[in-house]
Amino acid sequence: MGPLPYIVTAEIFPTRVRSAGVAASSAANWAANFLVSVTFLPLLGLVSARRAPKRLTKRLTKHLNT
């Protein structure tokens, strides 16, 4: 998305509260990015660990049948 959130938030808020609104929006954006960054790999590992035996079994049976 690039700089689009920063441009949009600067235009949404009225002038008298713009600085506080943009600061709150940026803080929320950074917090959400941090949360995704911290949880992505553990969740990916969890999902992959649960699905790995099925995928491995399919590959082995396919390989053995050929």
Side-chain angles (χ1 to χ4, degrees):
M1 290 183 38
L4 187 62
Y6 299 104
I7 295 169
V8 170
T9 56
E11 297 298 324
I12 288 176
F13 296 106
T15 307
R16 60 185 171 83
V17 294
R18 184 169 293 166
S19 60
V22 171
S25 297
S26 295
N29 188 12
W30 278 90
N33 287 336
F34 178 75
L35 182 66
V36 168
S37 299
V38 168
T39 60
F40 179 76
L41 288 177
L43 289 175
L44 182 65
L46 183 65
V47 170
S48 296
R50 288 185 180 174
R51 294 184 65 192
K54 292 178 185 178
R55 287 187 291 173
L56 185 59
T57 306
K58 284 182 183 179
R59 283 186 181 175
L60 285 174
T61 55
K62 183 178 178 181
H63 179 67
L64 293 174
N65 289 336
T66 56

